[in-house]
Amino acid sequence: MRRSPRAERFFGLWQAARDLRVAASVLEWDQETMMPPRGAAARGRVLGALAAARHERLLAPDLRAALEEFAAECAPGSEDAAQAARARTEIERASRIPASLAAAEAAAQSAALVSWQAARAARDFQRFAPDLRRLLGIVREKAAAWAGPGGRPYDALLDEFEPGTTEAALLPLFAGLRAELAPLIAQVAASGAPVDESAARGAFPPDAQRRFGAMAAAAIGFDFQAGRLDRAAHPFCSGFGPGDVRLTWRCQEDDFRPAFFGILHEAGHGLYEQGLPSAWEATPLGEAAGLGAHESQSRLWENAVGRSRGFWTWALARWPEFFPAQPAPGLDHLWPALHACRPSLIRVEADEATYNLHVMARFELERRLFDGGLEVEDLPAAWNEQYRQLLGLTPAHDGEGVLQDIHWAMGAFGYFPSYTLGNLMAAQLYEAADRELGGMEASFAAGDFAALLGWLRARIHQQGRRHASAELIRRATGAELGPEALLRGLRTRLHEIYAL
Ligand code: ZN
């Protein structure tokens, strides 16, 4: 692509600022996968320095001047105009917080991540509380600065993860979803027929689980020449560009599902990162539309594809190569175990129906942390109360309660709602793709996922950050985002499995 001299100058300066963010991401990935515990203090210092340097570059007068000169030559409505608009939004946001606060946030995140890991292992929230308190204080300050006078700090945080999202828009969406989910889950409980999950249990050596998961990730299209899979305490995906995407996983040796679906989930994120337009790499639009859109890709591959009969027709045929000592279960025996609906304590291992209740619990707590006087010392009790109300369960200890997620230790408040948005988007996208492509499960049964990936590449991945998620979904599916597709799928499966 030929660029004008002004465009050259703007994109060059933008890339220099963005590359510092990529460098920090590599160090963050290393911190979660490889770094020894005593490296934490030095790592925190380095990440703080990188955050401050990036902040400085984003706000440097030469970048702003280059942006304005470039913007002046862009035709209205053009791709370049969208690039300039996106850059302006990011620079404007960064300009609202001092570099010292950006550096303090990065250092506090590093410290909190380390104490969260120790606290989680020891099941002791108090070990985490001081670092969380410091980090929350910084995030509150940042959110207030982003929101500006009269603005809502929690909305500013939501907007960072999923542009355009507000608390006021989420409240009725979540309330409507809960109103439909609660009776469905209650019906399942009242059916008194627990699903036989023995097909998913047995003895699964970790290395075989890794290879089985990686085989499936490669089959759906994840390119291991442009990605890796490593162990970590918490599964996640980091993209440093379409050519370098890192997935992590963890496993349970007596049940293949947590590792397998965890890997498939992260590979779904990875496909999005690998599929971003390479022509836009390191430009303002060369990123995912938002975290809800990101989660829609992981959930689509994990749930709509990975829990389908077609998919398992193919995967069970491959099973003996990986688990020779563990006879492959029959499809009819396994399928219900992939959709068992049962309130549980751990979000990442929750079934599709109850998952969104885990998100609603966190949304409620975050709203109160930012706008309801909830403080860190009251979090464990407030957490347990939310779980009692929404899921009817009480954690036996903080390790399976308030300490289970990494997000707050990363300062990522306002992130959780994007999981439910992603679930809704995933179901709606899958329905639309199935309508257009037809016969998808028959292709899955033959190990062929290319048509679906191609559809997602064109409608989602290759769009980069050109459209906000709401618009992206409207264009891809022809409808506004809503809970109907998700609820339709859940009802169909649960009615079959539990004979409701
Ligand atoms: Zn995810």
Side-chain angles (χ1 to χ4, degrees):
M1 179 176 41
R2 283 201 61 78
R3 284 174 174 163
S4 72
R6 286 176 169 190
E8 253 343 311
R9 180 164 164 71
F10 161 68
F11 283 112
L13 288 168
W14 179 266
Q15 183 177 333
R18 184 203 175 263
D19 285 349
L20 292 172
R21 176 65 223 143
V22 175
S25 300
V26 178
L27 292 179
E28 284 160 1
W29 169 83
D30 173 79
Q31 177 166 318
E32 293 305 307
T33 53
M34 304 286 169
M35 191 188 78
R38 288 194 198 156
R43 183 57 48 88
R45 196 183 63 236
V46 174
L47 285 170
L50 280 171
R54 174 171 184 268
H55 194 259
E56 207 169 290
R57 282 213 181 170
L58 263 186
L59 299 184
D62 59 346
L63 174 56
R64 293 208 217 194
L67 168 61
E68 290 319 317
E69 285 181 10
F70 167 60
E73 71 176 17
C74 297
S78 66
E79 178 187 313
D80 278 348
Q83 293 275 21
R86 180 67 219 159
R88 199 176 278 132
T89 304
E90 271 195 51
I91 290 173
E92 218 281 305
R93 187 183 272 267
S95 73
R96 293 183 175 214
I97 61 168
S100 58
L101 189 66
E105 184 187 21
Q109 279 168 1
S110 252
L113 275 170
V114 173
S115 61
W116 167 71
Q117 279 174 351
R120 184 166 171 266
R123 304 173 171 182
D124 177 10
F125 183 75
Q126 291 315 317
R127 290 198 190 190
F128 177 46
D131 284 324
L132 180 62
R133 199 173 294 122
R134 190 170 317 118
L135 182 56
L136 177 62
I138 291 170
V139 174
R140 281 175 172 158
E141 197 180 333
K142 177 180 81 173
W146 277 350
R152 297 182 55 83
Y154 189 55
D155 279 349
L157 295 173
L158 291 170
D159 186 76
E160 165 80 348
F161 296 114
E162 189 53 78
T165 305
T166 61
E167 187 181 335
L170 289 176
L171 282 169
L173 186 66
F174 283 13
L177 183 59
R178 187 183 170 188
E180 298 290 324
L181 280 177
L184 185 62
I185 294 166
Q187 261 184 295
V188 167
S191 76
V195 162
D196 170 12
E197 296 181 51
S198 61
R201 302 209 169 105
F204 301 99
D207 186 58
Q209 292 201 56
R210 194 195 69 80
R211 287 186 292 108
F212 188 47
M215 181 279 293
I220 63 173
F222 185 78
D223 176 4
F224 278 93
Q225 294 303 307
R228 288 182 57 87
L229 175 63
D230 297 273
R231 289 273 295 253
H234 201 91
F236 66 91
C237 166
S238 271
F240 312 140
D244 190 352
V245 179
R246 310 292 175 95
L247 315 178
T248 66
W249 71 296
R250 65 178 176 199
C251 74
Q252 203 175 307
E253 290 192 39
D254 61 355
D255 187 330
F256 80 91
R257 290 171 297 183
F260 187 81
F261 289 106
I263 292 172
L264 214 53
H265 177 101
E266 300 309 332
H269 283 300
L271 288 174
Y272 194 174
E273 291 288 320
Q274 290 182 340
L276 288 170
S278 48
W280 286 354
E281 186 173 356
T283 73
L285 296 185
E287 290 176 26
L291 289 182
H294 228 306
E295 192 67 7
S296 77
Q297 300 306 288
S298 56
R299 301 298 276 183
L300 188 151
W301 289 101
E302 175 194 354
N303 290 331
V305 178
R307 293 180 202 273
S308 67
R309 284 192 168 94
F311 180 91
W312 281 97
T313 302
W314 163 77
L316 285 172
R318 303 289 308 266
W319 177 287
E321 297 165 41
F322 301 91
F323 307 116
Q326 182 74 42
L331 179 60
D332 291 337
H333 187 200
L334 177 64
W335 191 74
L338 305 180
H339 298 280
C341 171
R342 174 172 20 84
S344 63
L345 289 164
I346 304 294
R347 175 185 58 87
V348 293
E349 286 157 18
D351 60 84
E352 275 189 274
T354 60
Y355 186 93
N356 296 297
L357 302 177
H358 293 256
V359 173
M360 290 172 200
R362 288 155 179 78
F363 175 56
E364 183 59 29
L365 293 172
E366 289 187 339
R367 294 174 57 218
R368 286 163 53 194
L369 281 171
F370 284 86
D371 203 18
L374 182 64
E375 290 303 335
V376 165
E377 47 274 24
D378 307 321
L379 255 183
W383 179 285
N384 293 352
E385 178 56 21
Q386 280 295 313
Y387 267 71
R388 201 187 55 72
Q389 281 181 22
L390 284 163
L391 289 137
L393 298 169
T394 304
H397 54 79
D398 291 340
E400 60 180 25
V402 67
L403 288 172
Q404 67 181 270
D405 294 311
I406 197 171
H407 304 63
W408 291 341
M410 296 169 67
F413 297 89
Y415 186 125
F416 286 115
S418 65
Y419 287 130
T420 285
L421 292 175
N423 283 334
L424 303 181
M425 292 177 200
Q428 199 166 316
L429 284 169
Y430 189 79
E431 264 195 4
D434 198 31
R435 212 162 42 228
E436 271 181 54
L437 300 170
M440 284 206 296
E441 282 213 36
S443 315
F444 301 163
D448 181 359
F449 306 96
L452 176 58
L453 180 58
W455 192 90
L456 293 168
R457 284 271 191 258
R459 285 170 178 73
I460 307 292
H461 307 172
Q462 286 289 306
Q463 301 298 320
R465 201 158 202 169
R466 182 77 195 257
H467 309 289
S469 295
E471 173 68 10
L472 193 66
I473 296 304
R474 200 177 299 125
R475 285 165 170 261
T477 69
E480 296 293 325
L481 180 65
E484 294 77 17
L486 180 76
L487 289 166
R488 257 194 299 278
L490 283 173
R491 284 196 193 101
T492 306
R493 288 187 290 277
L494 295 179
H495 278 252
E496 180 183 341
I497 291 168
Y498 292 92
L500 300 179

PDB file of all heavy atoms in Angstrom, residues 265-266 269 295 298 419, ligand 1:
ATOM      1  N   HIS A 265     -10.882 -22.608  23.599  1.00  0.00           N
ATOM      2  CA  HIS A 265     -11.317 -21.229  23.872  1.00  0.00           C
ATOM      3  C   HIS A 265     -10.203 -20.244  23.522  1.00  0.00           C
ATOM      4  O   HIS A 265     -10.415 -19.287  22.764  1.00  0.00           O
ATOM      5  CB  HIS A 265     -11.695 -21.124  25.355  1.00  0.00           C
ATOM      6  CG  HIS A 265     -12.100 -19.749  25.795  1.00  0.00           C
ATOM      7  ND1 HIS A 265     -13.406 -19.372  25.953  1.00  0.00           N
ATOM      8  CD2 HIS A 265     -11.370 -18.653  26.105  1.00  0.00           C
ATOM      9  CE1 HIS A 265     -13.463 -18.103  26.336  1.00  0.00           C
ATOM     10  NE2 HIS A 265     -12.232 -17.639  26.441  1.00  0.00           N
ATOM     11  N   GLU A 266      -9.022 -20.479  24.061  1.00  0.00           N
ATOM     12  CA  GLU A 266      -7.914 -19.550  23.815  1.00  0.00           C
ATOM     13  C   GLU A 266      -7.521 -19.575  22.337  1.00  0.00           C
ATOM     14  O   GLU A 266      -7.120 -18.552  21.774  1.00  0.00           O
ATOM     15  CB  GLU A 266      -6.715 -19.862  24.708  1.00  0.00           C
ATOM     16  CG  GLU A 266      -7.010 -19.787  26.219  1.00  0.00           C
ATOM     17  CD  GLU A 266      -7.687 -18.499  26.682  1.00  0.00           C
ATOM     18  OE1 GLU A 266      -7.489 -17.446  26.038  1.00  0.00           O
ATOM     19  OE2 GLU A 266      -8.432 -18.540  27.686  1.00  0.00           O
ATOM     20  N   HIS A 269      -9.632 -17.147  20.539  1.00  0.00           N
ATOM     21  CA  HIS A 269      -9.054 -15.796  20.649  1.00  0.00           C
ATOM     22  C   HIS A 269      -7.871 -15.668  19.683  1.00  0.00           C
ATOM     23  O   HIS A 269      -7.690 -14.661  19.016  1.00  0.00           O
ATOM     24  CB  HIS A 269      -8.525 -15.558  22.066  1.00  0.00           C
ATOM     25  CG  HIS A 269      -9.578 -15.255  23.092  1.00  0.00           C
ATOM     26  ND1 HIS A 269     -10.413 -14.173  22.993  1.00  0.00           N
ATOM     27  CD2 HIS A 269      -9.900 -15.866  24.263  1.00  0.00           C
ATOM     28  CE1 HIS A 269     -11.217 -14.135  24.060  1.00  0.00           C
ATOM     29  NE2 HIS A 269     -10.928 -15.156  24.846  1.00  0.00           N
ATOM     30  N   GLU A 295     -14.219 -12.139  22.839  1.00  0.00           N
ATOM     31  CA  GLU A 295     -14.787 -13.284  23.552  1.00  0.00           C
ATOM     32  C   GLU A 295     -15.791 -14.022  22.672  1.00  0.00           C
ATOM     33  O   GLU A 295     -15.977 -15.232  22.825  1.00  0.00           O
ATOM     34  CB  GLU A 295     -15.443 -12.798  24.849  1.00  0.00           C
ATOM     35  CG  GLU A 295     -15.815 -13.901  25.817  1.00  0.00           C
ATOM     36  CD  GLU A 295     -14.618 -14.635  26.418  1.00  0.00           C
ATOM     37  OE1 GLU A 295     -13.457 -14.208  26.197  1.00  0.00           O
ATOM     38  OE2 GLU A 295     -14.832 -15.654  27.092  1.00  0.00           O
ATOM     39  N   SER A 298     -13.779 -16.741  20.934  1.00  0.00           N
ATOM     40  CA  SER A 298     -13.380 -17.871  21.770  1.00  0.00           C
ATOM     41  C   SER A 298     -14.580 -18.739  22.139  1.00  0.00           C
ATOM     42  O   SER A 298     -14.514 -19.965  22.097  1.00  0.00           O
ATOM     43  CB  SER A 298     -12.681 -17.371  23.031  1.00  0.00           C
ATOM     44  OG  SER A 298     -13.502 -16.471  23.740  1.00  0.00           O
ATOM     45  N   TYR A 419     -17.516 -10.666  28.787  1.00  0.00           N
ATOM     46  CA  TYR A 419     -17.690 -12.119  28.633  1.00  0.00           C
ATOM     47  C   TYR A 419     -19.134 -12.457  28.250  1.00  0.00           C
ATOM     48  O   TYR A 419     -19.378 -13.294  27.380  1.00  0.00           O
ATOM     49  CB  TYR A 419     -17.335 -12.857  29.925  1.00  0.00           C
ATOM     50  CG  TYR A 419     -15.858 -12.900  30.214  1.00  0.00           C
ATOM     51  CD1 TYR A 419     -15.360 -12.529  31.451  1.00  0.00           C
ATOM     52  CD2 TYR A 419     -14.952 -13.338  29.256  1.00  0.00           C
ATOM     53  CE1 TYR A 419     -13.997 -12.587  31.731  1.00  0.00           C
ATOM     54  CE2 TYR A 419     -13.594 -13.390  29.524  1.00  0.00           C
ATOM     55  CZ  TYR A 419     -13.120 -13.022  30.765  1.00  0.00           C
ATOM     56  OH  TYR A 419     -11.792 -13.073  31.025  1.00  0.00           O
TER      57      TYR A 419
HETATM   58 ZN    ZN B   1     -11.781 -15.605  26.691  1.00  0.00          ZN
END
